[in-house]
Amino acid sequence: AEAAAGGRPPDEAVVGRHVGAVVDRWYREESPLLTAEREQQLRAGWEAALARLSLLASAAMPEGHLPLREAWELMLTCEERGELPADEFAADVGEFLGRAGA
């Protein structure tokens, strides 16, 4: 690491905490990923998908659940899906469920 103005290298832990705080504040206050409007869209889309799937005899999913691919398509924008392919989304969900004991 390069030396700071005082001649010492920056404290990486302090810098990391600062960057984390800035990013947290940005996404919480300035540019939230989940706005009230987006939450409403997601809920409506989820309900519509559940209603559509309930008409299919082959859709044997637990109540309130969607197939993972359907959830990925619903939850992520086209741009987000470009950054997080379905297989990576599935791996993330699987890891989360493993940690949650589900």
Side-chain angles (χ1 to χ4, degrees):
E2 287 189 33
R8 293 189 320 261
D11 183 330
E12 290 182 25
V14 171
V15 172
R17 284 192 301 272
H18 173 73
V19 169
V22 168
V23 169
D24 286 349
R25 184 186 149 296
W26 174 259
Y27 285 112
R28 190 174 43 254
E29 298 172 19
E30 301 294 330
S31 185
L33 295 173
L34 183 63
T35 62
E37 179 183 3
R38 179 70 178 133
E39 181 180 0
Q40 184 178 13
Q41 291 170 346
L42 287 169
R43 289 181 183 280
W46 197 276
E47 291 299 321
L50 287 173
R52 185 177 67 254
L53 289 175
S54 71
L55 299 176
L56 302 174
S58 63
M61 298 292 296
E63 185 176 343
H65 292 208
L66 292 176
L68 201 50
R69 177 81 182 202
E70 183 105 9
W72 172 77
E73 290 175 358
L74 175 72
M75 293 171 61
L76 303 177
T77 65
C78 184
E79 182 180 342
E80 292 166 339
R81 289 191 303 269
E83 295 175 15
L84 183 64
D87 59 335
E88 291 179 24
F89 178 77
D92 288 349
V93 169
E95 184 178 325
F96 171 78
L97 292 175
R99 282 196 316 264

